[in-house]
Amino acid sequence: MRFDLDTYREIADSLVRNKSRSLLTGFGIFWGLFMLLFLIGGGAGLKEMLMNNFEGFATNSVFLVSSNTTKAYRGFKENRYWSLDLRDIDRLKNMIPELDVVSPTMARWGQTAVFGINSVSCVIKGVLPDYRLIETPQLKYGRYINSTDIAQERKVCIIGKRIYTSLFPEGGDPCGSFIRVGDIYFQVVGVDFNSGNINIQGRADEAVVTALPIVQKLYKRGQTVDVIGATARNGVKVSSLETRIREVMARQHYFDPTDKPALFVLNTEQIFSIMDNLFRGVNFLVWLVGLGTILAGAIGVSNIMMVTVRERTTEIGIRRAIGATPAGILSQIIEESIALTIVAGSGGIVFSVLLLNALEAVTKHQATFQINFSTAVIATLLLVVLGAAAGMAPASRAMKIKPVDAMRDE
């Protein structure tokens, strides 16, 4: 297939002669590709924004919280409250070896952190070093709680982003500074910029995280813990362990294993699975609608080229009479069809990218509303294929035109 200067002139002349029909058909291609790419980019950005709410949490994690029972069990009446404790950590590790990390947390709400003349409300949260494998921090400065902090019961802390910006408005590395929470001074050893919106013992940006034994002794918590977080080993689904987790806890704390309200289980794996399935369905619908619209536009291109061939019957006959080959006629019709789809489709690509950029600016760059390069390449190749396919039927009709018949029509 060739694209020389004469071919370009002939294509341009054809588009000008049929400009109203060409514009209408081109708009169909333009709109179809725009819808496809805009919905792909918008869907990807929306998914990223929603997934940012789970930022920092392991995708195969589970959180356990004790609550009131709703069933009588072994002489115990219903509506009895029970508490998780530190001994449950070893029970879960020993009885459910498929669990990888099991780590408790304790929290004290309604606290105020003070540095100099600045103060901010916060929650103080006690953790062990391995808790970072469940709720991963994004450390801007410093480090996380380590085993030495636990062994020596150091009064050190990691502060969240909101705490940092409120107490240290001038910025800079605050590590080594001492802040006061209540009547206790803590030395800052890290700053966590995790901005996830999932609230496990308080949002990460509002928390002052310290060693578990510190919270345990300062607030006289004893063996009681608020939440136990755990992750499953590679290849193991948390959902498959939930029943066994309930049975272990029920056996040790004397409640009915089928009494689900007695033990609240937050399975993040299920949440991520729901999100993935939701957006898989959305992507299917996006491609279905977009491709349907593009195919409709391609059919319109084919119809326009069919009308063009009919109107140019005499011209084609004369060209055949003076020596034009069937291959030359075929290539010209197909080239015109490809040119029309590429011009209209390229406009759709550019317009969708510009609109996605504007959408990204409106959302203050909370997510990336863009299409990747491979998607744009696939879309371009799709246009070429559709353009060639749309021109095949008109080109076939043009090849069948006989010079004698064309002269007779004239």
Side-chain angles (χ1 to χ4, degrees), residues 133-310:
L133 300 176
I134 301 174
E135 185 179 353
T136 306
Q138 293 186 356
L139 294 176
K140 176 71 172 180
Y141 300 105
R143 61 173 178 84
Y144 200 67
I145 299 296
N146 59 34
S147 56
T148 305
D149 298 329
I150 302 296
Q152 298 182 5
E153 298 184 3
R154 294 173 174 172
K155 293 185 178 65
V156 296
C157 70
I158 295 95
I159 58 176
K161 183 177 180 179
R162 179 170 170 267
I163 308 297
Y164 168 70
T165 55
S166 299
L167 299 185
F168 302 92
E170 70 283 357
D173 186 353
C175 293
S177 303
F178 285 85
I179 65 172
R180 179 169 57 85
V181 179
D183 298 326
I184 309 301
Y185 283 87
F186 293 88
Q187 185 178 27
V188 177
V189 295
V191 178
D192 181 11
F193 267 36
N194 187 343
S195 56
N197 291 323
I198 298 298
N199 191 328
I200 302 295
Q201 295 290 87
R203 288 172 45 130
D205 61 351
E206 299 175 344
V208 174
V209 178
T210 187
L212 184 77
I214 299 298
V215 175
Q216 186 180 8
K217 291 187 176 181
L218 287 178
Y219 303 106
K220 300 178 181 179
R221 296 296 304 272
Q223 296 295 307
T224 302
V225 299
D226 297 322
V227 178
I228 293 178
T231 59
R233 297 186 183 277
N234 290 335
V236 178
K237 291 187 176 182
V238 174
S239 303
S240 65
L241 305 177
E242 184 174 335
T243 300
R244 292 168 59 190
I245 291 173
R246 289 185 179 278
E247 290 174 349
V248 171
M249 292 294 96
R251 184 166 54 250
Q252 298 300 326
H253 295 280
Y254 301 102
F255 64 87
D256 192 330
T258 63
D259 188 2
K260 291 190 175 182
L263 177 64
F264 175 72
V265 178
L266 175 63
N267 186 345
T268 60
E269 179 192 56
Q270 290 182 339
I271 297 175
F272 281 106
S273 177
I274 291 172
M275 297 290 292
D276 285 338
N277 291 335
L278 172 64
F279 280 96
R280 192 175 293 115
V282 169
N283 287 336
F284 174 77
L285 290 176
V286 165
W287 280 97
L288 186 65
V289 172
L291 290 178
T293 308
I294 291 175
L295 287 174
I299 293 173
V301 171
S302 181
N303 291 334
I304 288 296
M305 297 307 301
M306 192 71 76
V307 173
T308 301
V309 168
R310 186 178 298 112

Side-chain angles (χ1 to χ4, degrees), residues 23-201:
L23 287 174
L24 183 61
T25 305
F27 180 75
I29 294 289
F30 168 89
W31 181 250
L33 197 62
F34 161 73
M35 282 184 60
L36 176 62
L37 297 182
F38 179 77
L39 290 175
I40 289 175
L46 179 60
K47 181 179 181 179
E48 184 178 337
M49 288 184 66
L50 292 176
M51 296 302 287
N52 285 342
N53 292 321
F54 304 94
E55 184 179 7
F57 284 90
T59 57
N60 62 338
S61 60
V62 63
F63 296 90
L64 311 178
V65 182
S66 60
S67 186
N68 288 39
T69 62
T70 60
K71 298 180 181 179
Y73 185 73
R74 292 188 179 181
F76 290 94
K77 295 182 179 181
E78 63 181 37
N79 202 34
R80 174 179 61 91
Y81 184 79
W82 63 280
S83 299
L84 295 165
D85 60 54
L86 290 173
R87 292 168 294 185
D88 292 327
I89 308 302
D90 291 330
R91 290 168 183 152
L92 290 170
K93 287 180 178 179
N94 295 332
M95 297 182 184
I96 309 179
E98 293 88 348
L99 291 177
D100 186 20
V101 176
V102 182
S103 191
T105 65
M106 297 179 182
R108 184 78 172 188
W109 298 80
Q111 303 298 300
T112 301
V114 180
F115 179 75
I117 61 173
N118 300 316
S119 64
V120 61
S121 60
C122 68
V123 54
I124 185 166
K125 183 175 178 180
V127 302
L128 296 178
D130 58 0
Y131 186 74
R132 69 179 300 167
L133 300 176
I134 301 174
E135 185 179 353
T136 306
Q138 293 186 356
L139 294 176
K140 176 71 172 180
Y141 300 105
R143 61 173 178 84
Y144 200 67
I145 299 296
N146 59 34
S147 56
T148 305
D149 298 329
I150 302 296
Q152 298 182 5
E153 298 184 3
R154 294 173 174 172
K155 293 185 178 65
V156 296
C157 70
I158 295 95
I159 58 176
K161 183 177 180 179
R162 179 170 170 267
I163 308 297
Y164 168 70
T165 55
S166 299
L167 299 185
F168 302 92
E170 70 283 357
D173 186 353
C175 293
S177 303
F178 285 85
I179 65 172
R180 179 169 57 85
V181 179
D183 298 326
I184 309 301
Y185 283 87
F186 293 88
Q187 185 178 27
V188 177
V189 295
V191 178
D192 181 11
F193 267 36
N194 187 343
S195 56
N197 291 323
I198 298 298
N199 191 328
I200 302 295
Q201 295 290 87

